[in-house]
Every structure is written in structure tokens, then in C-alpha cells.
Amino acid sequence: YACTTLPHGRFEPPNDQPYSNRDWPEEFRNYAAMVTRADQLFGEILKTLRDLRPDQNTVVLVASDNGGTGSRERIRLFNSTGISRAEKGTVYEGGIRVPMVARLPGRIPAGRVDDSTVVSALDLYPTCCRLAGIAAPGVDFDGEDMAGTFTGRPRLRKKDLFWEYGRDATYIRPGLEHDRSPNLAIRSGNWKLLMNDDRSRIELYDLNRSDKEETNVAVEHKNIARDLSTRLMAWRKSLPA
């Protein structure tokens, strides 16, 4: 397990190479340099695996813990959140949706992009057990075995995913009101519902139609909104106080 804080504020790399000549603000050049340093770090890890010769049977996963953050200008310049709404500090897609890179020579197809399957960090334990050919512990995981997806078979996930962020005023939130989400969310298939834990501000989105989360269809799909809000509140009540 290799955990790097790159890129993260404060943006103070040793230098801003190879972006010194770019006509960007200093913070933007430093940010880009930190991303490049992270990429170099991953390259060193892969080289070590090749040198030690276990790289053909080692699963390598690279992901982030949250979506992009920073000024709107920087997010737009680097396309940090794509078309998704908002950023880090929310449970909109821009705050929780991140890419994942997976590598296992001979098992995970190289160069393939799966932009339809939803995978969570909760899935990694049972998934890696399957890829390693060992039995996972006999427990009811919150995640699910997604090894088939990793090896080239996209599918809809079976288990719901839940999020909570912003339980009180101490949590960091985006500067724009439009980007500040309710503090709870559930995703079930292509439906995603957000609401506050006092049941206010219910928002329902069909992510099969758009990832932008701009069209709230809670009124048009009252039964779906009611079902998902019930499941979401049951999950919320199961958490520590």
C-alpha cells in the first residue's frame, strides 16, 4: 500500500518542471508538477515490481480518495471533474467520482476503458481475493466481487452505495452555493438520491441520462424517491452517532 499526498495543498513542489514556461498562475504550474511527480512515483513502483519479477502476478490499483478541488479556473483548465457537478467536499459526482487504473498482466486487458461499471473501494477486498485465486472470508461484505469487471465484463453492481459528508458546519464546502450538496446520498443502479439527514432537500437524478445532476426528477418519480430515501435513512441510522 503506497499512499501519496500528491497532489495536495500546499502546492510547494521542489520546482515547477516541466511546466515552468507555461502561461499559468504559479499555483497551477505547481499543481501540474505535483501530478507529474506522482506519475513518476507510480512508474518507480512498477519498475521495482518488474525488477523483482513479481509484476506478472501482482494486481496494481491506482485511485483517489475524492474528486478534484480548487478554484473553478484550475478545475476547468485541467478538466479535473469532467462534466460532473461540483468538487471535493460534496456528495455530488464531482466530489465522489474518481477514475481507477487497474493492472494485472494477462488478466486485466491493457488499454481498455470501462466507463459504465460503478466500482467502490468497498469492493476491493473481495475483488482482489478473487483475482488472487483465494477464498474471501465468509462475511457479508458491504462491497461485492467485481473481478469479472476488471477482467473485461462490464456490469451493473448489485449492492447500493451510500455516502455521508457534511454532518455539521465544521466540514469544508465548495465556495459556490450551486456546488454544495445535501449531506447524504445513495446510488442504486443508475438512480442517485441526495438528501439531508433531517429529510430536507430531496434530489433524485437518473445518471443513465446525465452525470451532470442538473435535473431533479424527485417529483416525477415519487415512489423511487420514497424507496431510496427510506433505505438511505436506515443506513444513516446504523452509523455511529
Side-chain angles (χ1 to χ4, degrees), residues 88-123:
K88 174 183 176 179
T90 77
V91 291
Y92 287 129
E93 291 295 278
I96 60 176
R97 184 175 182 174
V98 299
M100 173 183 285
V101 178
R103 179 183 184 273
L104 179 58
R107 296 282 305 284
I108 297 177
R112 185 182 63 88
V113 177
D114 180 352
D115 59 4
S116 61
T117 303
V118 178
V119 176
S120 166
L122 297 172
D123 304 326

Side-chain angles (χ1 to χ4, degrees), residues 6-236:
L6 299 172
H8 200 285
R10 298 154 42 181
F11 301 116
E12 299 176 347
N15 57 66
D16 60 4
Q17 294 289 343
Y19 306 100
S20 303
N21 295 325
R22 296 296 181 97
D23 185 21
W24 299 340
E26 180 182 15
E27 177 191 306
F28 293 16
R29 296 195 304 271
N30 288 346
Y31 175 83
M34 293 176 77
V35 173
T36 296
R37 289 177 70 87
D39 188 56
Q40 292 168 346
L41 172 64
F42 301 144
E44 291 174 8
I45 292 173
L46 293 178
K47 180 180 182 302
T48 299
L49 289 174
R50 287 192 295 270
D51 290 345
L52 298 177
R53 301 185 184 280
D55 69 310
Q56 296 299 307
N57 61 357
T58 299
V59 182
V60 177
L61 304 171
V62 181
S64 177
D65 58 345
N66 49 247
T69 186
S71 66
R72 303 309 302 171
E73 292 77 13
R74 196 181 81 215
I75 288 177
R76 282 195 293 268
L77 176 64
F78 296 117
N79 197 30
S80 299
T81 56
I83 66 170
S84 298
R85 180 175 177 178
E87 59 186 88
K88 174 183 176 179
T90 77
V91 291
Y92 287 129
E93 291 295 278
I96 60 176
R97 184 175 182 174
V98 299
M100 173 183 285
V101 178
R103 179 183 184 273
L104 179 58
R107 296 282 305 284
I108 297 177
R112 185 182 63 88
V113 177
D114 180 352
D115 59 4
S116 61
T117 303
V118 178
V119 176
S120 166
L122 297 172
D123 304 326
L124 296 186
Y125 197 130
T127 298
C128 287
C129 285
R130 175 75 67 176
L131 291 172
I134 61 176
V139 299
D140 183 18
F141 288 101
D142 290 332
E144 53 188 284
D145 176 5
M146 303 294 280
T149 294
F150 280 42
T151 55
R153 300 186 299 277
R155 70 169 176 85
L156 282 174
R157 67 178 302 110
K158 299 175 182 177
K159 294 188 175 183
D160 296 339
L161 289 173
F162 301 88
W163 294 268
E164 179 186 20
Y165 180 85
R167 187 174 292 197
D168 56 49
T170 65
Y171 285 73
I172 296 173
R173 296 180 181 276
L176 297 178
E177 184 65 31
H178 172 268
D179 291 345
R180 298 175 188 173
S181 70
N183 72 306
L184 300 176
I186 176 176
R187 176 160 182 167
S188 182
N190 287 316
W191 291 106
K192 182 179 176 185
L193 181 133
L194 302 89
M195 63 187 292
N196 287 319
D197 52 16
D198 62 1
R199 293 186 175 272
S200 65
R201 197 180 160 189
I202 295 177
E203 302 176 14
L204 178 67
Y205 301 103
D206 180 359
L207 298 183
N208 194 42
R209 295 171 56 186
S210 174
D211 292 330
K212 294 183 179 180
E213 295 173 291
E214 296 287 355
T215 304
N216 182 0
V217 295
V219 174
E220 294 90 328
H221 298 278
K222 293 181 179 179
N223 290 339
I224 294 174
R226 185 182 303 113
D227 176 53
L228 293 182
S229 63
T230 298
R231 281 190 258 171
L232 181 54
M233 288 306 300
W235 172 80
R236 171 64 181 81

